[in-house]
Amino acid sequence: MSPVRIWKRLLVLVFTVKTISFFDCNFIMSFVKIDENSDFSYHNLPYGIFSTADNTTLNAFMALGFDAWREARTILQKLLAADEPTLRDDVSLRSRAFVPQSAAIMHLPAEIGDYTDFYSSRDHATNVGIMLRLPVGYHGRASSVLVSGTPIRRPRGQMRPDPTQPPVFGPSKQLDIELEMAFFVGKGNPLGEPIPVEKAHEYIFGMVLMNDWSARDIQAWEYVPLGPFLGKNFGTTISPWVVPMEALMPFAEANPVQDPVPLPYLQHDDPYTFNINLFAAVKGEGMQEPATICKSNFKHMYWSMKQQLAHHTVNGCNVRPGDLLASGTISGADPESFGSMLELSWRGTKSIDLGGGETRTFLKDGDQVTLTGFCEGRGYRVGFGECVGKILPALQQ
């Protein structure tokens, strides 16, 4: 597919009514006005896939590479500027380019060939008893990565609730969330050719919110000796809009001090730690409003995305457009910022207060979990929308 055809499709993909707002940087305004608290400002311009006759995935656009992504974003911002008449004054063109959000059914933004979940938060690692020496992760199940709004079926499996008794089989009783973010690989690398850390940003297309659903009782029994398997692979939810890294760069901060100093192939001085406010909320079936149980921030991550990608490929592993690499649970030092119910309830030893007499240690059937996140600029936001999933009862067998 040619870049021209892809850009024409992008005009349809990104111009939803709630996707665009004003741009106050350098006093440039868009002619499309929305609330300043909208996640999808002129600064953002995320990419996504919704139901149309000829749009299926973003993989081809991702594969064009860093320069093409930047050029497409620049063109789109120019077309949306208040002083640019092309779209502003052409009613017919606007009617073809703009799609009301209410009329769009969102889908996974890419065909995900592979999915890797990292383990990169110092505080989360400390809370579960392991300190990190290098970026580590596990190869997840791409077939069960789901778009926001897809229900999650409570999994069944082997557990050993009583260590003095044999294991039992049944529905998980410790169903949990993991507050994460993930990035899509854009341009891939040939097999055998690592991606150097100083070039890694050219391969990172953009970011989404992620809920890596976890059955803790199943996970605990299977974890030794090989790590996560059935406790993790039954469902992973991501938000549908992919926020480009260019939109997030104004919110980059200095990277955390790493002790011990990592090996040279993981070292980079350019800021690639992002100040992204993150929230997790739970709404039970009998609740009128969701209750926020976690307020965290992506800047709590110990390993940067550039380090994750460099480490993932240092042995010659190839990545491809549309591959998904997740951050791991995002927890801070403050208990309010713990990114899983395992930590919030401290392994089920204390209750999480949802208000109105509702408490949880882990999720109940009917609970709906919503993850949100945004960066806060001067009079605007760059946000990710919602990452939502509702728990369905386990199938009876």
Side-chain angles (χ1 to χ4, degrees), residues 273-338:
T273 296
F274 295 90
N275 185 354
I276 306 173
N277 301 297
L278 297 170
F279 307 88
V282 176
K283 183 178 182 295
E285 286 192 315
M287 297 172 58
Q288 296 299 314
E289 298 291 337
T292 298
I293 62 171
C294 171
K295 297 178 181 179
S296 193
N297 196 293
F298 190 65
K299 66 183 179 182
H300 295 319
M301 301 310 296
Y302 185 77
W303 299 105
S304 74
M305 291 179 287
K306 292 182 63 168
Q307 290 175 313
Q308 290 173 338
L309 187 55
H311 184 68
H312 200 304
T313 63
V314 71
N315 65 345
C317 174
N318 60 317
V319 293
R320 296 170 293 187
D323 283 359
L324 188 67
L325 275 64
S327 63
T329 306
I330 303 166
S331 295
D334 188 325
E336 184 184 50
S337 68
F338 292 168

Side-chain angles (χ1 to χ4, degrees), residues 47-98:
Y47 299 104
I49 295 294
F50 56 84
S51 292
T52 64
D54 60 351
N55 291 292
T56 54
T57 70
L58 286 167
N59 294 69
F61 179 62
M62 291 175 174
L64 292 179
F66 183 78
D67 291 339
W69 311 335
R70 175 175 284 181
E71 183 178 357
R73 176 177 168 80
T74 299
I75 292 172
L76 292 175
Q77 286 189 317
K78 181 178 184 299
L79 288 171
L80 290 169
D83 59 357
E84 169 57 50
T86 304
L87 274 175
R88 185 194 65 197
D89 299 340
D90 191 329
V91 176
S92 175
L93 180 57
R94 287 207 314 273
S95 69
R96 299 195 306 273
F98 291 177

Side-chain angles (χ1 to χ4, degrees), residues 145-175:
V145 177
L146 309 166
V147 71
S148 174
T150 307
I152 297 294
R153 179 74 63 179
R154 182 179 295 272
R156 299 165 63 90
Q158 287 193 37
M159 300 153 285
R160 195 180 185 185
D162 185 344
T164 67
Q165 299 296 321
V168 297
F169 180 84
S172 169
K173 294 180 174 60
Q174 296 183 350
L175 187 55

Side-chain angles (χ1 to χ4, degrees), residues 342-359:
L342 178 71
E343 297 164 88
L344 290 165
S345 70
W346 208 248
R347 299 174 174 84
T349 61
K350 59 182 183 181
S351 296
I352 304 167
D353 185 10
L354 303 185
E358 291 274 356
T359 62

